[in-house]
Amino acid sequence: MEERTIIEVDGLVHRYGDFLAVDHISFGVREGEIFSFLGPNGAGKSTAINVLTTLLPIQEGRVVVAGHDVSKNPAKVRESIGIVFQEVTLDRDMTCREILEFHGRLYSMQREERRRRIDELLELVALDHKRDTLTRHLSGGMKRRLEIARGLMTRPRVLFLDEPTIGLDPQTRLKMWDYIKAVNEEGTTIFLTTHYMDEADRLSDRVSIIDHGKIITTGRSYELKNMLGEDLVYLETSDNSATRALLEQLESVTRISEKGHGLVAVVNSDGTRLLPHIMETLGQNGITLETVNLKKPSMDDVFVHFTGKELRDEGAERPVTTAARAGRR
Amino acid sequence: MARLGFLTIYWRDMLRFVRFKTVLVSSLVQPALWLAFFGIAMAANFDRLAGSVPTIPGVPVVSYLTYMAAGVIAMTTLFTSLFGGIVLLFDKNWGLMREIMASPLPRNDVIFGIALSGMTKSFIQAGIIMVFGIFIGAEFFLGYSAGQTFISLLGILLFLGIFSLGFLFLSAAISISLESPEGLQGIITLLTMPIFFASNALYPVNAFPPLLQIISGINPLTHLVNGIRFFAIGDDFQSIGIHYTATTGEIALSLCVLAIFAAIMFALAYWRFQKAVVT
Ligand SMILES: Nc1ncnc2c1ncn2[C@@H]1O[C@H](COP(=O)(O)OP(=O)(O)OP(=O)(O)O)[C@@H](O)[C@H]1O
Ligand SMILES: [Mg+2]
């Protein structure tokens, strides 16, 4: 079955002066899916989203959203989308209801529909008890929820969420994910950016990893993880270099890298079956095994693999670890 | 449904206007206080000075308070209008501008919405000053019939409206182009000084040096004051020893100057808004 594409981006480039913030990216988002941009601070996620939502004029490339070209028909694009910006975009001196009312009017919604929709959405994001509270008196999570509700006022075909859970406590984040999933199940395509691994992993159908303005890879999160092999074996031994030499002879070990005091071996067969064999071989060669760990690749591993650096939740650019480099010999 | 998107912007700006009771009250009381203290104090001086100047027989004499009340209305409108666009600047930095720019609302509607709410505020202020002024002794609409008073009020509103539109467009254009409210504050101070002092709001311009007279002649504030005095006081009066006459043609010309000013300012705002990028 051919799925319909609702966002098509082809060769998008965006510069701030001489600085290349988005560097020839191309991708497609299918109708009905949750699609994420995962990348560290300054990767170019917001810049890309701002071009897709017509806030920044398109400089180079082609972007079609909901069937409309952003350069030829920005007004139509605007009618078809909802946006939650990275920074809080609320008037502190308006109430929750007024924020939604204003949005409905901006999009020429009829009075009756506005009222119905405001009731529905305040309930969806559990803010009905705050209906007449000024937004200055809302907590960070409530503000975010209100903004999501606003993004949904017009029943957009695509909802853009720029770092929807930034600065929220873990519990609120989980709830927010539930809202986002619920919204998606009602048929809204979701495009979100994040620098949280778990968010990209758990929430989205497909993920693009973006760094330095480039898309490094795109796929379903399990596909991305499978690219790394089936299992990761972590070993700490009395003689790591000898261990390395032994592991390199094994058929199913595709890559070996150093991590902390030990080694990580990427294996493309069932690790539970391979591990006893490895332990036996080490024993035969007089190497003592100090620690052993077997795990499935995580989104973190995927990120390190593709970008050559680790991504922390804060998104700080940390020095390149040896892991991925060593592995690419 | 007809496209009346600017009403959305208007609604929201008025919502804020009435929400903040202290801001609201002070914006209404301040011009009245100006009139009360400055007006009464200066009137005492000017009227004493004018007492030594022989009056022109057969021409109605108007007190200085009456004379300057028209100027205070004009001045208040100038300030309110120049600051009218500041909400755009706040919105740009901390508020809803991103949402507005990403919505299908045409940018002109933002300009018109802000202009309309600014105009409404000016009307309310002008009304208060007028009532208060008359209360403390300004002789507005003296000897007018009810019908004449009504027509005169409409005339004043027409002048105030067009004048405030011009400065609101200017304010919107500056606000959308700037990054910080401080910048706007600075520009406004820079603008108001010459506009205010090179005008006939508080004193006659007859004794100005020629250059200042020319500036005063193209100054929208002068033309607004002309209009207000024509409708509120009359076309033939004397105050502080100077004889004022105005023909309908001269008043129509003043209105034209204001309209041209507003049109140019709209063009400026239109251009700035088309260029504006808010992210
Ligand atoms: N208005 C601007 N002028 C100049 N450079 C900019 C501007 N906006 C962004 N940049 C630069 O472009 C790059 C991409 O920024 P962008 O905001 O798109 O990153 P991001 O992926 O959204 O990061 P974050 O996770 O911090 O939100 C950064 O290096 C940033 O410094
Ligand atoms: Mg960003």
Side-chain angles (χ1 to χ4, degrees):
Chain A
M1 193 186 78
E2 185 60 28
E3 285 177 78
R4 282 171 36 118
T5 309
I6 196 158
I7 302 177
E8 261 182 86
V9 177
D10 194 18
L12 178 65
V13 176
H14 200 92
R15 291 187 177 83
Y16 296 107
D18 287 339
F19 180 75
L20 193 55
V22 172
D23 186 3
H24 295 89
I25 61 172
S26 303
F27 63 96
V29 176
R30 298 170 195 149
E31 183 144 29
E33 75 174 334
I34 302 185
F35 185 94
S36 309
F37 259 11
L38 172 67
N41 284 145
K45 306 181 296 293
S46 297
T47 305
I49 233 177
N50 285 339
V51 175
L52 265 54
T53 56
T54 75
L55 274 172
L56 282 175
I58 185 164
Q59 296 175 344
E60 203 183 313
R62 202 173 87 96
V63 174
V64 178
V65 177
H68 307 289
D69 192 311
V70 296
S71 65
K72 296 188 193 112
N73 214 339
K76 283 280 178 214
V77 172
R78 290 174 187 160
E79 283 170 18
S80 326
I81 62 175
I83 314 171
V84 177
F85 303 98
Q86 181 170 351
E87 295 89 13
V88 174
T89 304
L90 295 173
D91 185 334
R92 296 159 47 81
D93 304 312
M94 285 165 79
T95 65
C96 294
R97 188 194 65 77
E98 286 162 355
I99 289 285
L100 298 180
E101 172 79 19
F102 178 71
H103 193 78
R105 289 182 185 217
L106 269 186
Y107 286 76
S108 324
M109 286 170 75
Q110 298 299 316
R111 174 192 294 267
E112 253 319 298
E113 199 194 346
R114 278 199 314 256
R115 190 173 329 159
R116 210 176 39 241
R117 203 72 188 127
I118 290 173
D119 291 344
E120 274 171 31
L121 287 169
L122 284 178
E123 195 166 333
L124 175 73
V125 299
L127 283 177
D128 25 1
H129 62 299
K130 297 284 182 186
R131 161 182 284 264
D132 294 316
T133 305
L134 294 182
T135 65
R136 64 165 73 222
H137 300 308
L138 297 182
S139 73
M142 290 172 177
K143 283 185 191 151
R144 219 60 187 135
R145 266 142 58 196
L146 178 60
E147 292 189 309
I148 290 181
R150 178 176 65 188
L152 292 170
M153 267 298 276
T154 56
R155 296 183 189 278
R157 292 184 57 199
V158 190
L159 180 62
F160 289 88
L161 301 166
D162 199 354
E163 316 243 358
T165 62
I166 199 159
L168 302 185
D169 64 58
Q171 214 182 342
T172 316
R173 283 180 71 208
L174 289 178
K175 271 202 186 147
M176 200 65 74
W177 290 354
D178 288 341
Y179 293 132
I180 295 173
K181 278 188 187 141
V183 165
N184 177 248
E185 270 153 27
E186 282 188 12
T188 306
T189 306
I190 293 188
F191 180 102
L192 68 90
T193 74
T194 182
H195 59 241
Y196 297 117
M197 296 289 180
D198 50 346
E199 189 158 282
D201 195 3
R202 307 243 320 252
L203 201 51
S204 37
D205 296 308
R206 288 191 309 138
V207 181
S208 273
I209 294 181
I210 176 168
D211 195 19
H212 296 304
K214 288 199 182 76
I215 290 183
I216 294 167
T217 186
T218 303
R220 296 183 179 275
S221 60
Y222 67 83
E223 289 171 354
L224 294 181
K225 290 178 203 164
N226 281 351
M227 282 187 214
L228 263 72
E230 203 150 313
D231 282 309
L232 298 177
V233 180
Y234 178 77
L235 301 163
E236 276 179 32
T237 62
S238 55
D239 185 349
N240 281 347
S241 48
T243 307
R244 175 169 220 144
L246 285 171
L247 289 175
E248 274 167 359
Q249 285 161 20
L250 293 175
E251 180 80 356
S252 50
V253 173
T254 55
R255 271 183 25 231
I256 304 165
S257 52
E258 284 165 30
K259 186 174 183 183
H261 298 296
L263 296 171
V264 180
V266 178
V267 300
N268 62 8
S269 66
D270 186 350
T272 51
R273 297 190 175 277
L274 186 64
L275 200 51
H277 176 64
I278 292 178
M279 291 160 81
E280 201 183 298
T281 315
L282 292 180
Q284 283 164 5
N285 287 274
I287 301 168
T288 332
L289 193 57
E290 283 155 9
T291 305
V292 64
N293 185 16
L294 178 70
K295 68 163 192 161
K296 294 277 174 197
S298 70
M299 213 46 186
D300 281 272
D301 302 312
V302 172
F303 193 85
V304 171
H305 174 69
F306 282 106
T307 66
K309 63 187 176 203
E310 285 190 57
L311 178 72
R312 288 276 159 258
D313 271 358
E314 317 85 62
E317 291 191 22
R318 302 180 81 244
V320 176
T321 55
T322 46
R325 274 223 219 113
R328 273 197 217 116
R329 293 177 303 161
Chain B
M1 196 183 89
R3 263 209 42 259
L4 296 170
F6 65 92
L7 287 180
T8 303
I9 303 292
Y10 177 79
W11 167 76
R12 186 263 180 155
D13 203 36
M14 292 313 288
L15 199 72
R16 290 174 56 98
F17 181 61
V18 295
R19 172 144 302 154
F20 302 107
K21 299 291 182 261
T22 45
V23 179
L24 178 66
V25 170
S26 70
S27 79
L28 299 180
V29 168
Q30 198 191 8
L33 286 182
W34 236 88
L35 186 63
F37 289 103
F38 191 72
I40 292 172
M42 292 299 276
N45 275 324
F46 271 102
D47 286 337
R48 191 165 50 83
L49 287 176
S52 57
V53 182
T55 54
I56 307 146
V59 178
V61 178
V62 162
S63 71
Y64 179 70
L65 182 68
T66 311
Y67 176 87
M68 65 107 45
V72 172
I73 292 174
M75 185 191 79
T76 309
T77 308
L78 173 69
F79 286 139
T80 305
S81 304
L82 272 175
F83 275 107
I86 204 163
V87 62
L88 298 175
L89 202 45
F90 283 110
D91 275 346
K92 209 168 121 176
N93 288 338
W94 303 289
L96 303 181
M97 192 48 78
R98 228 178 273 129
E99 177 195 6
I100 295 171
M101 290 303 216
S103 79
L105 187 81
R107 294 184 174 193
N108 278 348
D109 284 7
V110 182
I111 306 175
F112 286 129
I114 285 296
L116 200 64
S117 63
M119 195 164 100
T120 309
K121 294 174 201 171
S122 291
F123 282 173
I124 297 173
Q125 284 184 324
I128 290 183
I129 303 171
M130 234 183 281
V131 171
F132 183 73
I134 291 171
F135 177 73
I136 62 170
E139 296 153 313
F140 276 11
F141 315 121
L142 204 64
Y144 286 22
S145 70
Q148 281 170 324
T149 306
F150 182 71
I151 303 240
S152 297
L153 275 174
L154 287 186
I156 292 173
L157 289 186
L158 180 67
F159 268 79
L160 280 175
I162 295 178
F163 174 88
S164 68
L165 281 185
F167 281 97
L168 282 157
F169 291 149
L170 175 62
S171 176
I174 298 172
S175 298
I176 201 74
S177 312
L178 288 184
E179 295 300 331
S180 76
E182 290 79 16
L184 180 68
Q185 208 105 25
I187 293 183
I188 290 179
T189 316
L190 217 64
L191 280 174
T192 44
M193 284 296 170
I195 294 176
F196 185 50
F197 289 109
S199 83
N200 58 354
L202 296 185
Y203 36 69
V205 293
N206 308 45
F208 278 9
L211 179 66
L212 265 187
Q213 287 214 19
I214 293 172
I215 294 176
S216 162
I218 54 171
N219 185 348
L221 193 67
T222 297
H223 293 282
L224 172 63
V225 173
N226 283 345
I228 298 176
R229 290 203 179 121
F230 175 79
F231 285 110
I233 305 174
D235 59 357
D236 185 19
F237 64 91
Q238 58 176 318
S239 186
I240 43 179
I242 291 165
H243 187 186
Y244 287 89
T245 56
T247 63
T248 320
E250 281 166 350
I251 293 306
L253 181 70
S254 284
L255 192 62
C256 279
V257 171
L258 293 184
I260 291 168
F261 174 70
I264 295 171
M265 290 304 121
F266 176 75
L268 179 71
Y270 179 85
W271 170 60
R272 293 314 307 166
F273 269 74
Q274 291 304 317
K275 299 211 92 178
V277 172
V278 179
T279 58

